[in-house]
């Protein structure tokens, strides 16, 4: 049984899925209650992320997500040897949580969007658009669903 713990915010009705979401599968670390919880980023958009997490979080919780990235030169074949890893710090707020088998799917919004995040998002969007694998917006909750 899947349970969705969604907390509406003031602009949630108008904001829902306005931005494209891009599929990814990248390791990240959630800083939660003085613990490091290993998570996986499964999608991203201009204002939020989807995560897989081993612990159940609660909507409204504010945490920090660390994402180990290499400088954007990693996309240039000639400079792959000189790409330096760096840590991107993303302040997040949990918006929704649903259980999926042995883990939780967590939707978060970014409380602050660093410039580096915009650069990563643009690269991912460009690559996925080229490959034709942009994830479409999820259906509106008010629309009837097909089973």
């Amino acid at each position: 049984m899947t349970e969705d713990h969604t907390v509406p915010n003031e602009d949630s009705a108008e904001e829902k899925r306005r931005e494209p979401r891009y599929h990814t599968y990248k390791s990240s670390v959630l800083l939660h209650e003085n613990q490091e919880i290993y998570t996986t980023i499964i999608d991203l958009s201009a204002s939020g992320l989807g995560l897989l997490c081993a612990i159940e979080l609660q909507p409204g919780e504010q945490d920090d997500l660390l994402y180990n990235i290499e400088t954007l030169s990693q996309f240039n074949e000639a400079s792959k040897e000189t790409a330096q890893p760096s840590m991107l710090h993303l302040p997040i707020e949990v918006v929704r949580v649903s259980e999926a088998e042995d883990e939780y799917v967590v939707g978060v919004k970014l409380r602050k969007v660093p410039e580096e995040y915009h650069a990563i998002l643009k690269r991912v969007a460009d690559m996925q658009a080229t490959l034709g694998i942009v994830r479409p917006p999820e259906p509106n909750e008010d629309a009837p669903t097909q089973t």
Side-chain angles (χ1 to χ4, degrees):
M1 176 187 227
T2 300
E3 205 173 322
D4 187 3
H5 304 282
T6 303
V7 171
N9 60 24
E10 295 141 12
D11 57 353
S12 66
E14 292 144 45
E15 182 184 82
K16 279 191 188 255
R17 305 293 183 252
R18 206 182 286 173
E19 302 142 346
R21 299 183 83 70
Y22 301 98
H23 176 72
T24 188
Y25 199 82
K26 299 290 183 183
S27 298
S28 55
V29 176
L30 178 70
L31 302 177
H32 176 74
E33 297 178 354
N34 296 320
Q35 296 179 26
E36 290 184 356
I37 310 295
Y38 292 97
T39 58
T40 302
I41 299 171
I42 56 172
D43 64 46
L44 46 95
S45 75
S47 62
L49 302 163
L51 304 172
L52 295 178
C53 185
I55 65 168
E56 184 175 13
L57 301 171
Q58 298 302 312
E61 286 184 318
Q62 294 186 356
D63 291 310
D64 295 298
L65 189 70
L66 301 178
Y67 175 50
N68 191 9
I69 60 169
E70 292 182 359
T71 56
L72 295 176
S73 63
Q74 72 175 335
F75 299 104
N76 178 346
E77 285 295 323
S79 63
K80 274 191 176 178
E81 296 86 33
T82 61
Q84 297 296 314
S86 63
M87 193 62 71
L88 182 60
H89 175 250
L90 300 170
I92 60 169
E93 180 178 337
V94 176
V95 178
R96 77 184 64 64
V97 179
S98 59
E99 192 171 352
E101 296 187 26
D102 296 334
E103 57 195 347
Y104 297 89
V105 177
V106 181
V108 303
K109 69 179 179 180
L110 300 175
R111 293 184 288 131
K112 180 181 175 192
V113 183
E115 191 62 37
E116 298 91 346
Y117 182 80
H118 285 295
I120 291 167
L121 183 64
K122 181 174 180 354
R123 290 289 184 158
V124 171
D126 290 347
M127 288 186 332
Q128 291 192 9
T130 300
L131 298 173
I133 56 174
V134 174
R135 180 176 173 186
E138 292 181 10
N140 185 334
E141 290 181 4
D142 297 333
T145 57
Q146 296 178 355
T147 53

